[in-house]
Amino acid sequence: MLLGTCGWSYQEWVGLFYPNNRVAKLPFYAKVFDTVEVDSSFYRMPTRSMVKGWEKATGQSFRFSLKLPKTITHGKGLVGVEDELEAFLGVIEPLQDADKLGCVLIQLGPNFTFDRVARLESFLGALPDDIRFAVEFRHDSWNRDDTWDLLKRYNVANTITDSPIEFLANPVVTADHAYVRWHGRGKKIWYNYNYSEEELLAWAQKMKAIMSKAPMTYAYFNNHYNAKAPTNTLQLLQMIDTMTEPQERVLKLIGRRVKGAVRSKITDYV
């Protein structure tokens, strides 16, 4: 399993996760976690040189998952997007060549309902088979066996999520890889949320079940406010007994920083 956060460049993490603004964020992040989801690619396609920079800033075992641009999933609704898809796959090619590409996330909009299933199947049929993909649904019309059968047919992961949309939390595994996202349960803003120990313990059991069904699982916390994402990530790693000693020290240090008890540098521990 690869467990990390959605994004890494949050200024509000400085002083809690990152020690100061002088630290290069991605290289520091990659010393603690072995994967990240690039959420920014949904809003704006990165450049190839930017992607090459990400590859060079991380170790050989690090993996990047990326969201498809919203021009493909939301703007055109998966129709007539051959050029955009080809451009995106070309941009992320340096990660694939370096064996650092994890999974590509196809996040559909809340208005993309099951009556558009033919669109989705046509799009899935055009995807390259040497890249892992996952689909995240936002409408409960997709919560049916026909959906899971479709994803299984193309070996595409159903994105299992934790959010106010409850049906998405069902641990339905549809491929030889699984994809999990924690959005938070905030009432106004989903992502402004801190998972409790009880909630994480429940997910620890669920993750063990998911991992037993999928040889590779990619999982990311998206509750980025006040560095809750890296904190909850480390806590979950601890609960499923995969935390390393450096990660354990970082988690303890974050806790002390939150309480304002000490002014130690996180770089002393990684």
Side-chain angles (χ1 to χ4, degrees):
M1 181 189 69
L2 296 176
L3 181 59
T5 68
C6 298
W8 68 85
S9 60
Y10 300 105
Q11 180 62 25
E12 63 198 89
W13 292 11
V14 175
L16 294 173
F17 180 70
Y18 300 116
N20 52 58
N21 279 315
R22 297 186 298 277
V23 171
K25 291 183 173 62
L26 181 56
F28 182 92
Y29 174 98
K31 290 181 180 179
V32 181
F33 301 113
D34 52 13
T35 187
V36 73
E37 180 190 278
V38 181
D39 185 68
S40 60
S41 58
F42 177 75
Y43 302 98
R44 183 178 181 181
M45 188 182 298
T47 63
R48 191 179 175 95
S49 61
M50 185 183 299
V51 173
K52 287 181 178 179
W54 297 342
E55 189 277 317
K56 294 182 181 301
T58 54
Q60 184 56 48
S61 62
F62 196 84
R63 297 292 182 270
F64 292 87
S65 292
L66 301 95
K67 287 177 69 175
L68 274 181
K70 65 178 181 180
T71 53
I72 295 175
T73 56
H74 290 53
K76 293 190 174 182
L78 305 183
V79 176
V81 294
E82 294 82 5
D83 291 344
E84 290 88 346
L85 178 62
E86 182 179 1
F88 179 76
L89 296 179
V91 163
I92 66 174
E93 191 174 32
L95 297 178
Q96 188 177 14
D97 290 344
D99 195 25
K100 290 189 178 184
L101 181 60
C103 188
V104 174
L105 175 62
I106 307 164
Q107 185 187 73
L108 302 178
N111 296 325
F112 198 100
T113 55
F114 187 80
D115 59 4
R116 300 182 182 181
V117 64
R119 289 192 189 186
L120 177 60
E121 181 163 14
S122 178
F123 182 77
L124 297 182
L127 295 177
D129 56 12
D130 59 342
I131 296 177
R132 292 186 174 104
F133 290 89
V135 174
E136 181 175 353
F137 301 104
R138 289 292 180 92
H139 192 278
D140 61 9
S141 63
W142 294 96
N143 187 20
R144 59 177 75 190
D145 290 340
D146 289 345
T147 300
W148 317 138
D149 290 342
L150 171 63
L151 297 186
K152 289 175 182 177
R153 190 154 61 247
Y154 291 97
N155 194 37
V156 171
N158 163 54
T159 301
I160 304 161
T161 73
D162 187 283
S163 75
I165 304 176
E166 294 184 3
F167 89 88
L168 295 173
N170 294 333
V172 179
V173 176
T174 59
D176 61 8
H177 56 284
Y179 205 89
V180 185
R181 307 179 85 212
W182 291 270
H183 292 303
R185 304 175 186 178
K187 293 183 178 180
K188 291 185 178 180
I189 302 176
W190 288 5
Y191 319 109
N192 190 5
Y193 190 80
N194 183 32
Y195 284 93
S196 68
E197 180 178 356
E198 181 180 2
E199 290 166 340
L200 291 174
L201 282 171
W203 267 103
Q205 294 304 313
K206 189 178 291 189
M207 289 302 295
K208 291 177 181 179
I210 293 170
M211 290 186 292
S212 71
K213 298 176 181 177
M216 174 56 70
T217 298
Y218 303 92
Y220 304 97
F221 277 88
N222 197 23
N223 54 328
H224 58 82
Y225 282 80
N226 299 315
K228 299 305 183 186
T231 303
N232 287 159
T233 301
L234 291 167
Q235 290 170 328
L236 185 58
L237 284 168
Q238 187 177 53
M239 290 176 182
I240 60 178
D241 298 322
T242 58
M243 172 178 271
T244 65
E245 289 186 9
Q247 288 173 333
E248 186 172 2
R249 291 194 290 268
V250 170
L251 178 59
K252 290 179 179 178
L253 184 52
I254 292 175
R256 293 200 297 270
R257 280 179 170 269
V258 169
K259 295 177 181 178
V262 296
R263 294 181 177 275
S264 301
K265 291 182 178 179
I266 298 178
T267 47
D268 294 338
Y269 297 86
V270 295

